[in-house]
Amino acid sequence: MNKEELYKSMDGIDDEILQKYYEYKPASKIINFRKAAVIAASICLIVVAGSVIRMAGNMTVEDGATEAIEEAMPETAAETYTLESSPDEKGDDMDEFVESEPPEESFTTKFMELIESLIDKIKTLLGLENDN
Amino acid sequence: MRDEEIIELYFKRDERAIEETDNKYGDYCASIADKILKNELDVEECLDDTYLRVWNVIPPTRPEIFRIFIGKITRNLAFDRYEKFHAKKRGGGNIEEVLDELQECIPANHNVEQSILANELSSIINDFVKNLPEKEALIFVGRYFYTEDISAIGKRLGMTNNNVSVTLNRIRAKLQKRLLKEGYLAS
């Protein structure tokens, strides 16, 4: 037997193994792709979440401007009421302020929880929790 | 065009079969031949011979994996051409290195005469490769069937060149043991 005969004898290797060589994708490439996909998905979620939070914040300022000012600077607000409102009106407004609750805060919290759970689900789907 | 459709063209003796084969697998066959011949003109002639051979064997043969089928024909024809025209020139290229490495696998014993049946040797090699761990089998196939260089194998399999070389050394030692066990000795 010589080396040329040995080289020729490689012809007997099964087609499936030869095909596998062409189709092979290293695991590191797959993991890198998964990581890239998770990072991209996370960035998208953060951008969307940021936009929604900003929108919710704008609504809070527009709809509840008075309440926000009163909460931050009660003395200044009281002066404003003294100057601009009648005693009856002021009383009504204060009652409203005491009774009203900030719904936007709970919405934001829920939304953030939703985003977190979505990120967890994506990680689970892509099997990254075990990798890291 | 899908492989099955190309094979059907061969069965219908439609000459478009060769054109479609060249469109789909021309580059693939050329890369196999080029690693052995390292000469553009030889590669072109080898491809012509390949298409003629495929035309002559289909029908009656119906290949299961057309890519591998045509790749094997190209490799055989390229190596025959190499032996016929280039063996004395030794002009470099992967094939020289690959053959020298394979020489290491052949157990040296000139005192014992051995008659070697090519088919038997092929089936031993196939069995040897089947019993290797998957990654080692792929490295072996990349080097000794596709005649690829170390860096190309490393790139494809996501390994360093050094890692591929070390693994190949280990596989060659295993192959030598196996051939010795089977009674194959150097002639």
Side-chain angles (χ1 to χ4, degrees):
Chain A
M1 180 175 58
N2 57 34
K3 57 189 179 182
E4 285 83 7
E5 283 169 335
L6 189 54
Y7 181 80
K8 280 182 186 174
S9 70
M10 303 296 163
D11 208 38
I13 296 171
D14 270 1
D15 289 3
E16 285 77 18
I17 300 173
L18 299 174
Q19 179 75 351
K20 235 181 224 177
Y21 181 74
Y22 264 89
E23 290 171 347
Y24 187 84
K25 283 189 176 65
S28 59
K29 276 188 184 174
I30 296 166
I31 289 168
N32 285 344
F33 173 77
R34 279 181 177 177
K35 279 184 181 169
V38 167
I39 291 166
S42 304
I43 290 170
C44 287
L45 282 171
I46 289 165
V47 169
V48 170
S51 310
V52 171
I53 290 167
R54 201 174 302 156
M55 280 170 65
N58 287 342
M59 282 169 67
T60 311
V61 171
E62 284 164 12
D63 297 345
T66 315
E67 287 89 338
I69 291 167
E70 285 170 344
E71 196 173 297
M73 297 179 289
E75 287 174 12
T76 316
E79 283 168 17
T80 310
Y81 278 118
T82 315
L83 287 171
E84 293 178 4
S85 313
S86 67
D88 294 339
E89 284 171 345
K90 188 171 77 176
D92 291 344
D93 284 348
M94 286 305 285
D95 290 342
E96 264 179 43
F97 172 65
V98 171
E99 285 165 12
S100 65
E101 289 176 5
E104 290 78 8
E105 195 180 338
S106 62
F107 169 76
T108 310
T109 313
K110 278 183 185 173
F111 189 82
M112 286 312 291
E113 280 170 6
L114 180 71
I115 296 291
E116 278 170 14
S117 71
L118 273 173
I119 291 172
D120 287 343
K121 275 181 187 171
I122 289 170
K123 278 183 179 176
T124 314
L125 277 173
L126 295 171
L128 266 188
E129 280 189 335
N130 294 333
D131 294 336
N132 296 327
Chain B
M1 188 178 272
R2 290 186 303 122
D3 288 355
E4 293 77 16
E5 292 170 323
I6 296 174
I7 292 166
E8 274 313 309
L9 289 176
Y10 279 105
F11 270 86
K12 288 176 187 164
R13 311 313 289 161
D14 187 334
E15 288 183 9
R16 278 189 302 137
I18 293 173
E19 196 185 317
E20 293 296 338
T21 304
D22 186 47
N23 287 342
K24 190 165 182 183
Y25 292 115
D27 290 345
Y28 161 76
C29 292
S31 82
I32 290 176
D34 184 60
K35 284 175 193 121
I36 297 168
L37 297 167
K38 288 283 169 197
N39 179 298
E40 204 175 319
L41 192 66
D42 283 344
V43 169
E44 270 180 41
E45 286 178 11
C46 180
L47 285 195
D48 292 341
D49 292 347
T50 300
Y51 300 144
L52 183 64
R53 176 74 63 88
V54 174
W55 178 260
N56 288 333
V57 296
I58 309 177
T61 310
R62 189 178 282 275
E64 281 182 27
I65 305 173
F66 190 55
R67 170 195 279 270
I68 303 302
F69 176 79
I70 196 169
K72 279 185 174 179
I73 291 176
T74 309
R75 180 181 183 271
N76 284 339
L77 292 174
F79 193 67
D80 286 347
R81 183 173 281 268
Y82 165 81
E83 281 190 309
K84 198 173 174 185
F85 299 113
H86 295 271
K88 288 175 186 172
K89 291 183 186 172
R90 299 196 54 92
N94 291 350
I95 188 68
E96 310 290 350
E97 284 175 25
V98 167
L99 289 175
D100 287 343
E101 286 171 18
L102 285 175
Q103 182 68 54
E104 294 173 22
C105 304
I106 303 169
N109 187 337
H110 296 276
N111 297 325
V112 183
E113 281 190 15
Q114 291 290 322
S115 63
I116 296 163
L117 296 169
N119 287 343
E120 203 180 290
L121 182 58
S122 283
S123 72
I124 287 169
I125 295 293
N126 187 31
D127 186 60
F128 173 76
V129 173
K130 273 183 176 173
N131 286 307
L132 287 173
E134 191 189 33
K135 200 134 191 192
E136 286 188 14
L138 296 179
I139 292 170
F140 185 86
V141 157
R143 184 65 172 163
Y144 300 118
F145 180 85
Y146 289 109
T147 326
E148 290 207 316
D149 56 31
I150 305 284
S151 59
I153 296 169
K155 198 175 172 187
R156 185 182 290 276
L157 302 180
M159 298 167 73
T160 63
N161 292 357
N162 188 46
N163 207 338
V164 174
S165 297
V166 169
T167 311
L168 279 171
N169 276 332
R170 215 167 38 226
I171 300 171
R172 283 200 298 275
K174 279 187 198 173
L175 179 60
Q176 190 188 33
K177 270 188 191 170
R178 174 68 188 268
L179 292 175
L180 196 59
K181 192 179 156 192
E182 299 285 347
Y184 285 92
L185 304 167
S187 58

